[in-house]
Amino acid sequence: MSYYITTPIYYVNAEPHIGHAYTTVVADALARFHRLLGEETRFQTGTDEHGEKVLEAAAAAGLPVKEFVDRISARFRQSWDDLDISYDNYIRTTDPAHVRVVQEILTRVHESGDIYFGEYGGLYCFGCECFYLERDLVDGLCPDHRVAPTYLKEENYFFRMSKYQDWLIDQIRTHPDWIRPERYRNEMLAFLKEPLEDLCISRPKSRMAWGIPLPFDDRYVTYVWFDALINYLSGLGYPGDKAYEKFWPAQHLIAKDILKPHAIYWPTMLRSMGLSPYRRLNVHGYWQMATGKMSKSLGNVVEPQVLVARFGLDQVRYFFLREMVFGLDAHFSEAALTNRINADLANDLGNLLARSLGMAFKYRQGVVPSPGDPAPPDAEVVSAVQAMAANFLRLFPGLEFARALAGLWEFIGHLNRYIVAAAPWELAKQPEAAGRLDTVLYHLLEGLRWIAALLRPVMPRSALKMSEQLGLGLALWDHPLPQVLRWGGLTPGSRLAKGPALFPRIEAADQ
Ligand SMILES: [Zn+2]
């Protein structure tokens, strides 16, 4: 079983912000999760470096374009290293290997007759770097940029996308989960009710030279989307490398603003190349700022490093996955982040760990006790954790992170109530209750072992620290998750290790 997850390659006309960070953290959590299942996993991210907007941004920065893209690409890479992103491959569309693959594919598609030369006059938005149809405009303006497009008439190369419209509709209809969540699938089916136009895939060098030259006409460079989408193949060493055989088809992860290129252009391109479609297109919503949609001009861009320095890496990762229902928009605010950290992490999980470890040291010298026969409340702990874990293993790969984590936190609440009901501090006063105290402590520690095991993809460092306190460390994940998640994994007689509080509270005065 293999698993290939990709983020979009990020366009280097701007610096990384939390929108990029969210997509990348989600991809990272999925990659880590599938590795823990024991699947051969490959995770790719990178940067998209050609096109008009990059050229403009470089000019605005007063830098030669190659120097500019090197700089911004390195900044993205540094952000992902700071966020503990476990990518296997970082691709750049200016890599010579990528350029070669794009040109090979262009040659092949051209020779097959799916690329033709023609004249096209249309409404062009320079911001979007694409032509619009009248019906796509809002009050005659580009829906994204709110500017009137320019009428442009020029000779270009076109990809016969229209030829694949019926196939694409059929593919979407017969594969209900192929584009998910469903709202985006429906959006594309609605879009495909109108005739699909062919795709202009070249730009005359006389107008814009920063791109991959067409192998069959050196007066033109390749349209940035036709170049960029191919990264998902070139990054696997397609066509010659065995990584392609092993990992294709991919699971793509994108934000909803690039749905159309991924749901329409890319599958028809793959179809024309004679390749199988990607496995899934997973589409998420936006983070809404209190001041509206995040944008440079509004000055409300949140940089991931700033957030991490202030709130902690795992705290931010947890917030991303817990707060946003995948596919829908969510609100971002420091107050919401602080609340999640204090309530979920410091109070619920942090206290459970600190109290359980504290009692194990106070009453049993930091040694895992041997459980006796379970009473009904102990048996309930076991059945609750088993049900929770089964749900988690189903929901997480299905991108229902918020629900998976909510279920895990219900179990944390269950354990906190179990402590109150069992009152170990009372049991400790009664010598005849020693066996009962052993059983209660064991159930708490073993429950925490399951929690640590499942939290590893979400909060890698904190989960490892939890596991270290349980005396297990990395050995907790020596086996695939389904084997790790069997009751009784914690060995009686083994030693625990005290550690500092995992999640310090964020004080109101800090805000
Ligand atoms: Zn536009």
Side-chain angles (χ1 to χ4, degrees):
M1 187 73 173
S2 71
Y3 182 80
Y4 175 35
I5 179 83
T6 67
T7 72
I9 47 174
Y10 301 115
Y11 206 39
V12 296
N13 65 334
E15 312 250 338
H17 57 62
I18 70 159
H20 304 118
Y22 172 75
T23 315
T24 312
V25 164
V26 169
D28 181 66
L30 285 167
R32 288 175 184 273
F33 181 83
H34 284 270
R35 287 189 200 112
L36 290 181
L37 291 179
E39 295 174 12
E40 242 188 307
T41 300
R42 188 175 171 101
F43 168 18
Q44 178 168 296
T45 186
T47 43
D48 179 6
E49 305 185 6
H50 292 123
E52 236 156 291
K53 277 184 278 189
V54 172
L55 205 57
E56 281 165 20
L63 287 172
V65 63
K66 183 64 169 77
E67 203 178 312
F68 176 78
V69 300
D70 285 349
R71 181 180 292 194
I72 306 285
S73 180
R75 207 157 303 170
F76 271 94
R77 194 166 182 154
Q78 186 60 53
S79 289
W80 307 152
D81 291 342
D82 291 347
L83 266 65
D84 245 3
I85 301 301
S86 62
Y87 58 84
D88 299 295
N89 191 33
Y90 190 88
I91 192 163
R92 301 181 52 190
T93 54
T94 51
D95 290 339
H98 170 78
V99 172
R100 208 171 50 239
V101 174
V102 171
Q103 290 186 324
E104 272 177 40
I105 288 172
L106 280 164
T107 302
R108 233 169 63 210
V109 175
H110 185 232
E111 281 168 1
S112 77
D114 273 356
I115 290 175
Y116 64 91
F117 191 65
E119 191 180 58
Y120 184 80
L123 299 166
Y124 191 81
C125 172
F126 286 92
C128 297
E129 301 180 30
C130 71
F131 287 100
Y132 277 101
L133 297 176
E134 292 279 3
R135 67 176 160 100
D136 296 328
L137 302 174
V138 178
D139 304 326
L141 305 177
C142 161
D144 285 344
H145 293 91
R146 304 269 158 199
V147 293
T150 310
Y151 185 80
L152 210 62
K153 187 173 183 177
E154 62 188 21
E155 289 188 308
N156 267 308
Y157 286 87
F158 293 83
F159 168 56
R160 281 187 211 282
M161 199 155 72
S162 57
K163 180 175 154 186
Y164 299 101
Q165 177 164 13
D166 291 342
W167 168 80
L168 183 57
I169 292 169
D170 189 59
Q171 165 72 17
I172 297 174
R173 286 218 175 112
T174 53
H175 299 78
D177 263 355
W178 189 54
I179 298 172
R180 66 179 174 180
E182 199 183 5
R183 51 178 24 220
Y184 300 109
R185 171 179 187 263
N186 294 340
E187 192 181 322
M188 287 301 97
L189 281 173
F191 176 81
L192 286 165
K193 284 197 175 125
E194 303 285 336
L196 194 57
E197 304 253 317
D198 289 342
L199 182 66
C200 176
I201 56 137
S202 65
R203 296 292 181 264
K205 272 187 190 167
S206 55
R207 182 153 68 74
M208 210 290 292
W210 181 241
I212 298 178
L214 289 187
F216 40 81
D217 191 337
D218 63 8
R219 294 173 302 160
Y220 292 89
V221 295
T222 312
Y223 171 48
V224 66
W225 271 112
F226 200 91
D227 155 5
L229 290 162
I230 289 172
N231 92 86
Y232 301 128
L233 290 174
S234 67
L236 291 177
Y238 172 85
D241 200 292
K242 60 180 186 302
Y244 165 74
E245 303 294 332
K246 187 184 286 173
F247 290 109
W248 190 259
Q251 290 260 0
H252 296 313
L253 190 63
I254 61 164
K256 65 184 180 183
D257 58 334
I258 50 175
L259 174 60
K260 204 163 102 184
H262 282 83
I264 310 286
Y265 306 173
W266 183 222
T268 55
M269 285 167 65
L270 287 164
R271 183 72 179 169
S272 168
M273 289 177 229
L275 302 184
S276 56
Y278 46 75
R279 194 176 302 279
R280 280 209 172 85
L281 182 62
N282 306 293
V283 189
H284 69 76
Y286 293 142
W287 285 101
Q288 301 283 2
M289 303 291 129
T291 42
K293 194 188 161 188
M294 192 166 51
S295 81
K296 222 172 180 172
S297 53
L298 284 171
N300 61 356
V301 176
V302 181
E303 291 174 43
Q305 274 103 330
V306 173
L307 215 53
V308 165
R310 172 111 189 273
F311 294 95
L313 172 58
D314 278 356
Q315 286 85 338
V316 171
R317 291 175 61 107
Y318 171 74
F319 176 80
F320 278 167
L321 292 170
R322 178 66 186 86
E323 192 77 8
M324 182 179 268
V325 173
F326 190 89
L328 302 178
D329 289 354
H331 289 277
F332 178 86
S333 71
E334 294 203 348
L337 177 52
T338 300
N339 186 45
R340 282 279 174 212
I341 293 172
N342 287 345
D344 298 5
L345 298 181
N347 272 2
D348 296 346
L349 176 57
N351 281 343
L352 173 64
L353 180 70
R355 285 171 94 186
S356 304
L357 265 286
M359 291 189 292
F361 272 89
K362 189 169 177 190
Y363 305 132
R364 293 295 180 264
Q365 294 75 48
V367 173
V368 177
S370 195
D373 288 339
D378 314 322
E380 278 169 24
V381 166
V382 179
S383 56
V385 80
Q386 285 169 339
M388 179 277 285
N391 276 329
F392 194 100
L393 294 185
R394 181 177 53 81
L395 293 170
F396 205 85
L399 311 177
E400 297 198 63
F401 312 113
R403 278 180 69 199
L405 289 168
L408 199 154
W409 254 258
E410 272 170 38
F411 175 65
I412 290 171
H414 185 124
L415 284 186
N416 277 323
R417 290 191 300 276
Y418 172 72
I419 294 179
V420 174
W425 45 90
E426 295 297 336
L427 298 174
K429 291 179 194 159
Q430 312 157 28
E432 70 278 12
R436 182 79 207 115
L437 179 57
D438 284 344
T439 303
V440 170
L441 290 176
Y442 186 86
H443 279 72
L444 287 171
L445 297 167
E446 173 65 5
L448 281 163
R449 189 185 69 89
W450 287 55
I451 293 168
L454 287 170
L455 280 179
R456 178 88 169 150
V458 180
M459 298 193 284
R461 295 182 189 183
S462 306
L464 178 57
K465 283 183 192 158
M466 280 182 74
S467 182
E468 282 165 352
Q469 295 195 17
L470 295 169
L472 295 165
L474 277 174
L476 174 54
W477 298 278
D478 272 354
H479 299 285
L481 264 188
Q483 275 166 262
V484 168
L485 300 174
R486 283 177 193 162
W487 188 261
L490 203 56
T491 312
S494 61
R495 295 210 66 87
L496 305 163
K498 261 189 186 156
L502 280 194
F503 306 106
R505 288 184 67 83
I506 308 287
E507 296 306 328
D510 291 354
Q511 291 179 48

